[in-house]
Amino acid sequence: MAQVLKEEVRNRILEAAEKVFYKKDYRGAKLTEIAKEADIPVALIYTYFKNKEVLFDAVVSSVYINFESAFDEEESLEKGSASERFDEAGENYIHELLKERKKLIILMDKSSGTKHTEAKHKLISQMQVHIEVSLKRQSKEEYDPMLAHILASNFTEGLLEIARHYQSEKWAEDMLKLIARCYYKGVESL
């Protein structure tokens, strides 16, 4: 029974921390605000988490971005266009990510002052490499690496805009499909 209560308190702290970090960001959030939101004494937070940074890590750990496995899966597909490979491999990963959109936003937009400050840049870099691989695979022409960087930045920011303005799972799915269509086939495909 005591273990169940410990888990319940830990989960309340994590839920409260997510709300406060989402509202304020890492630097603006205070442990006293998190304790108030969780309806516990502030000292109890230290029973579960060494400090605010460890608590922040626990909040964002389930969504920490590493697209490499999704990119590898997409690139390993032998047949199909880039958009067909995305539909088969990448889209599901992004849908799962959007289910935890507040944590994604916390990680990407509200992590200044933590070891995760560069998370967005890391994601863009991973995506840039993926795009460069795709361009080499599909085109005989060689492009300036800045093109892949711009495309990676745009796609990442589009994904984050879906998360920031989330309305429903269906809406997010529709928006992601439209962005992917524009990304792979151009605005004229609409």
Side-chain angles (χ1 to χ4, degrees):
M1 184 68 158
Q3 185 63 30
V4 173
L5 291 176
K6 284 183 180 182
E7 196 63 31
E8 178 192 330
V9 171
R10 185 178 191 284
N11 288 337
R12 280 184 20 218
I13 294 168
L14 287 169
E15 288 172 16
E18 181 180 332
K19 285 180 186 178
V20 174
F21 288 137
Y22 184 76
K23 184 177 179 182
K24 296 211 167 188
D25 77 17
Y26 174 77
R27 289 186 176 174
K30 306 285 183 244
L31 289 178
T32 53
E33 296 167 317
I34 294 169
K36 184 177 179 181
E37 181 71 36
D39 196 27
I40 61 166
V42 71
L44 191 54
I45 291 175
Y46 292 103
T47 303
Y48 295 88
F49 304 96
K50 180 180 176 182
N51 55 38
K52 185 170 78 167
E53 188 168 2
V54 171
L55 176 55
F56 187 89
D57 291 347
V59 169
V60 299
S61 66
S62 64
V63 293
Y64 198 80
I65 304 303
N66 184 344
F67 273 85
E68 285 182 34
S69 59
F71 293 149
D72 289 346
E73 183 180 341
E74 188 177 319
E75 289 167 8
S76 72
L77 298 173
E78 296 291 324
K79 295 183 181 179
S81 66
S83 64
E84 291 167 335
R85 290 191 308 274
F86 173 78
D87 289 345
E88 189 172 330
E91 188 176 6
N92 289 334
Y93 184 82
I94 292 174
H95 284 298
E96 290 302 312
L97 196 57
L98 287 172
K99 287 180 183 176
E100 297 196 81
R101 67 197 163 279
K102 286 186 177 182
K103 292 177 183 179
L104 176 65
I105 292 166
I106 292 167
L107 177 65
M108 295 292 162
D109 293 344
K110 300 173 182 277
S111 63
S112 181
T114 73
K115 66 183 180 185
H116 306 290
T117 301
E118 296 296 315
K120 186 180 192 179
H121 297 293
K122 288 178 184 175
L123 172 58
I124 291 169
S125 292
Q126 287 177 318
M127 188 165 292
Q128 179 178 342
V129 169
H130 172 66
I131 291 169
E132 289 168 349
V133 168
S134 293
L135 285 172
K136 286 178 185 172
R137 182 178 186 174
Q138 289 190 243
S139 178
K140 291 177 173 67
E141 197 171 329
E142 199 168 308
Y143 294 98
D144 186 314
M146 184 52 74
L147 175 63
H149 176 76
I150 291 167
L151 293 172
S153 295
N154 288 340
F155 190 83
T156 300
E157 209 42 60
L159 173 63
L160 291 173
E161 282 297 297
I162 291 172
R164 291 177 190 125
H165 300 281
Y166 189 89
Q167 295 176 18
S168 69
E169 192 170 331
K170 173 78 170 110
W171 178 86
E173 183 179 318
D174 291 346
M175 290 303 294
L176 183 60
K177 285 185 185 303
L178 288 170
I179 287 173
R181 186 187 319 161
C182 288
Y183 179 76
Y184 287 110
K185 300 183 184 201
V187 174
E188 290 182 5
S189 70
L190 300 174

